[in-house]
Amino acid sequence: MSGHVTILTGGVGGAKLVLGLCHAIPAGSVTAIVNTGDDFQHLGLSVSPDIDTLLYTLSGKANAAQGWGREAESWGFMSAVRSLGGEDWFQLGDGDLALHVLRSQRRRQGDPLSTIIADFASAWGIAAQVLPMTDDVVATKVETDEGMLDFQYYFVRRRCEPIVRSIRFEGATTARPGPGVIEAISNPDCEAVLIAPSNPFLSVDPILAVPGIREALAGSRAPVIAVSPIVGGKAVKGPTAKMMKELGLETSAAAVAVHYAGVIDAMLVDERDPPQDLPIPSARVDTLMTTLDDRIRVARAALGLARAVRS
Amino acid sequence: MSGHVTILTGGVGGAKLVLGLCHAIPAGSVTAIVNTGDDFQHLGLSVSPDIDTLLYTLSGKANAAQGWGREAESWGFMSAVRSLGGEDWFQLGDGDLALHVLRSQRRRQGDPLSTIIADFASAWGIAAQVLPMTDDVVATKVETDEGMLDFQYYFVRRRCEPIVRSIRFEGATTARPGPGVIEAISNPDCEAVLIAPSNPFLSVDPILAVPGIREALAGSRAPVIAVSPIVGGKAVKGPTAKMMKELGLETSAAAVAVHYAGVIDAMLVDERDPPQDLPIPSARVDTLMTTLDDRIRVARAALGLARAVRS
């Protein structure tokens, strides 16, 4: 595969596949379209969790043990915030703050998120293109048995405990795809579009909710391949399985494939899952991405499936 | 002295005397009116260097060796800012950032600086009243041989190297004294007003430039006592002596006394200085404030001089 590969991604799990992809093919040929529905204002700062996770992962700064934030992070800021009675339910590490402070400053000066992220990625020597799904504000809201919750409130403060009834993406109907997003999907040199094994409802759906992106995927010449987020009937991490149950869905690759109907052309399914009838072509591999080699292997398997679909 | 004492103060040197004063009399009887002419926006954050120095000093968090900032500070933020190509000429420590981030957030929400600082002081158990000279924006500008410079640019970035021609306080003519400032000077239970040995031109003049403060000092029933910033013909720290030369003044307590003419009733002069003709009453003591005991001793000497002037 000599051309470009585009990947839709959310947080930690998605970042692992993007990293694998950047080793499977030249990183300069990879474009990641990243969920910004998790973005929020905290302590007056613009925080973009999924984008930052990807920047940390691709630049070798991610904290692998913790699963979020920076390696070798310090916490002097949070400790001082606590001493001042400030909000401390969302952890902002000292190094991590640099992204939020510089992003906030430039956002206030009128710079679009996409430009800021391109500059961050460039400063950190990231060869892949990292594109926010939109430069407009889209905010994921989770309707639960405790009422409508802001995403980070549901996800971090309430640790995904409330029962989910539905999810909406505030601002999505008027949001425009970020610069380069539609091109990355529709360009003739795009050979495959991957959907990372991120949470379909919280990480991928916000991207699909930006008008134009779903249509571009449906019309793309390149095959669209989802990597199933389900491994042995469970989610590797995060609330995907719990949410699927709460939304009345079976926790299976098939249910995810149905959810992505009209968008994807094939799905990479974990070999631990029971064989199941999928309405689209599929391949079965070990999709667990513990080591870098795992990540490269899963990226290659997804690209192989794309090749098979194309031929 | 059983009543209140009010002190006008700038940065590090002034904070030492305020701390001594808080040990010489009950800290709850001390009101510090603090210069905000050094305040500026940096990386989109509201930074108030003199107020923060005082908060750190009075709460036991000041970095004594360094002379500014917090004890046991870490620098993960600055390091990450540098990696992103951000401005790094003004050092913001990780713990220090908490004040700037929380202050910026509340300023944007419309809270006045005085309320924010009162909350910070309360959270840190500071019994003295810490009052910004004004809640309005006053910005010290230094006219130099390199042109008109913002204060922090002159002070930190250019290390006070440019030759000073004059100083002005942008916004001062329309600024209003902060809540409690005039009361702290004019109240009948105010027994003395001290002017800390801070830089007269950069730290005290901005306070005097806020309309109403100079008049309140002139009309105050309580004696106004300046502690000379000159020790043995030099400034203890900072550019006071260099600036006095550049402004065509003698580097002496007498020149400072003349500068404060109409405002002060007496001056505490360092015993190392040559005896000199002062137009006002004075006393001579060792004004160097290395240890806490020194600071208490100098505070007591200033209060003693106030008592002598009153009787």
Side-chain angles (χ1 to χ4, degrees):
Chain A
M1 192 151 309
S2 59
H4 264 72
V5 174
T6 296
I7 179 164
L8 277 54
T9 182
V12 178
K16 289 180 182 177
L17 184 58
V18 180
L19 182 65
L21 187 58
C22 287
H23 283 83
I25 64 171
S29 301
V30 173
T31 298
I33 299 172
V34 189
N35 171 40
T36 61
D38 300 8
D39 291 17
F40 74 129
Q41 292 284 316
H42 188 59
L43 304 179
L45 301 172
S46 302
V47 181
S48 296
D50 283 356
I51 285 179
D52 294 355
T53 293
L54 188 58
L55 294 176
Y56 290 141
T57 301
L58 296 184
S59 65
K61 294 180 179 65
N63 187 318
Q66 186 174 259
W68 54 271
R70 288 175 68 113
E71 192 63 53
E73 184 63 286
S74 64
W75 301 95
F77 172 75
M78 285 310 301
S79 161
V81 164
R82 218 168 285 124
S83 79
L84 290 162
E87 283 188 75
D88 63 354
W89 60 271
F90 192 90
Q91 299 291 307
L92 296 172
D94 296 332
D96 189 42
L97 266 173
L99 289 179
H100 312 316
V101 167
L102 296 182
R103 173 168 40 226
S104 304
Q105 182 190 22
R106 293 189 55 184
R107 290 290 295 270
R108 277 195 206 94
Q109 289 169 352
D111 288 352
L113 183 61
S114 53
T115 308
I116 301 167
I117 298 309
D119 290 345
F120 288 172
S122 161
W124 283 354
I126 295 171
Q129 265 201 302
V130 177
L131 304 182
M133 66 188 201
T134 179
D135 278 333
D136 299 317
V137 174
V138 173
T140 299
K141 306 275 176 178
V142 186
E143 202 202 335
T144 72
D145 58 334
E146 300 181 3
M148 189 67 83
L149 305 180
D150 289 344
F151 174 75
Q152 295 296 348
Y153 188 98
Y154 163 78
F155 194 72
V156 176
R157 193 157 193 176
R158 293 290 293 115
R159 297 162 187 275
C160 308
E161 282 168 16
I163 294 166
V164 175
R165 293 189 177 136
S166 69
I167 297 154
R168 61 192 181 89
F169 309 110
E170 215 170 75
T173 51
T174 57
R176 294 149 302 174
V181 165
I182 297 300
E183 294 74 3
I185 296 168
S186 305
N187 267 357
D189 66 346
C190 175
E191 304 229 335
V193 179
L194 308 186
I195 297 184
S198 301
N199 187 305
F201 314 98
L202 296 175
S203 298
V204 179
D205 278 359
I207 305 178
L208 302 178
V210 177
I213 294 185
R214 185 181 285 270
E215 295 71 12
L217 290 166
S220 166
R221 193 186 63 88
V224 179
I225 312 294
V227 177
S228 166
I230 303 297
V231 174
K234 294 180 186 163
V236 177
K237 193 176 171 292
T240 304
K242 174 175 182 284
M243 287 184 63
M244 290 183 82
K245 282 188 204 105
E246 291 165 359
L247 294 170
L249 301 172
E250 191 183 73
T251 311
S252 69
V256 176
V258 168
H259 183 75
Y260 286 147
V263 171
I264 64 173
D265 298 303
M267 178 176 259
L268 195 67
V269 178
D270 189 75
E271 61 185 16
R272 291 167 195 77
D273 276 16
Q276 47 203 291
D277 275 344
L278 290 188
I280 46 169
S282 65
R284 290 160 60 85
V285 296
D286 177 359
T287 62
L288 257 188
M289 295 184 287
T290 310
T291 66
L292 177 58
D293 281 348
D294 293 337
R295 296 165 196 182
I296 299 170
R297 185 176 40 72
V298 175
R300 287 196 175 127
L303 296 179
L305 180 55
R307 239 186 331 262
V309 169
R310 280 166 65 92
S311 64
Chain B
M1 192 150 309
S2 61
H4 264 71
V5 175
T6 296
I7 178 165
L8 277 54
T9 182
V12 177
K16 289 179 182 177
L17 183 58
V18 181
L19 182 65
L21 187 58
C22 287
H23 282 83
I25 65 170
S29 301
V30 172
T31 298
I33 299 172
V34 189
N35 171 41
T36 61
D38 301 7
D39 292 17
F40 75 130
Q41 292 283 318
H42 188 61
L43 304 179
L45 301 172
S46 302
V47 181
S48 296
D50 283 356
I51 285 179
D52 294 356
T53 293
L54 187 57
L55 294 177
Y56 290 142
T57 302
L58 296 184
S59 64
K61 295 180 179 63
N63 187 319
Q66 185 174 261
W68 55 271
R70 288 177 69 113
E71 191 64 52
E73 184 63 287
S74 63
W75 301 95
F77 172 76
M78 285 309 301
S79 161
V81 164
R82 217 168 286 123
S83 79
L84 290 161
E87 283 188 77
D88 63 354
W89 60 272
F90 192 90
Q91 299 291 309
L92 295 172
D94 296 331
D96 190 42
L97 266 173
L99 289 180
H100 312 317
V101 168
L102 296 182
R103 173 169 39 228
S104 305
Q105 182 190 23
R106 292 189 56 183
R107 291 289 296 270
R108 277 195 205 94
Q109 289 168 352
D111 288 352
L113 183 60
S114 53
T115 308
I116 301 168
I117 298 309
D119 290 345
F120 288 171
S122 162
W124 284 352
I126 295 170
Q129 264 201 303
V130 177
L131 304 181
M133 67 189 202
T134 180
D135 278 334
D136 299 318
V137 174
V138 173
T140 299
K141 305 275 176 180
V142 186
E143 202 202 335
T144 72
D145 59 335
E146 300 181 3
M148 188 67 84
L149 305 180
D150 289 343
F151 173 76
Q152 296 295 348
Y153 188 96
Y154 162 78
F155 193 71
V156 175
R157 193 157 194 175
R158 293 288 295 111
R159 298 164 186 275
C160 307
E161 283 167 15
I163 294 166
V164 174
R165 292 188 178 137
S166 69
I167 297 154
R168 61 191 181 89
F169 310 111
E170 216 170 75
T173 51
T174 57
R176 295 149 300 175
V181 165
I182 297 300
E183 294 73 2
I185 297 168
S186 306
N187 268 356
D189 66 346
C190 174
E191 305 228 336
V193 179
L194 309 186
I195 297 184
S198 300
N199 187 305
F201 313 98
L202 295 176
S203 298
V204 179
D205 278 1
I207 306 178
L208 301 178
V210 176
I213 294 184
R214 185 181 285 269
E215 295 72 11
L217 290 166
S220 167
R221 194 186 62 89
V224 180
I225 312 295
V227 177
S228 166
I230 303 298
V231 173
K234 295 179 185 163
V236 177
K237 190 175 173 294
T240 303
K242 175 175 181 286
M243 287 184 64
M244 290 182 83
K245 281 187 205 104
E246 291 165 359
L247 293 170
L249 301 171
E250 189 182 73
T251 311
S252 69
V256 175
V258 167
H259 183 76
Y260 286 147
V263 171
I264 64 173
D265 299 302
M267 180 176 259
L268 195 65
V269 178
D270 189 75
E271 61 186 15
R272 291 165 194 79
D273 275 18
Q276 47 203 293
D277 274 345
L278 291 186
I280 48 169
S282 65
R284 290 161 59 87
V285 296
D286 177 359
T287 62
L288 258 189
M289 295 184 287
T290 310
T291 67
L292 177 59
D293 281 347
D294 293 338
R295 296 164 196 182
I296 298 169
R297 185 178 39 71
V298 175
R300 287 196 176 127
L303 295 178
L305 180 55
R307 238 186 333 261
V309 169
R310 280 167 65 93
S311 64

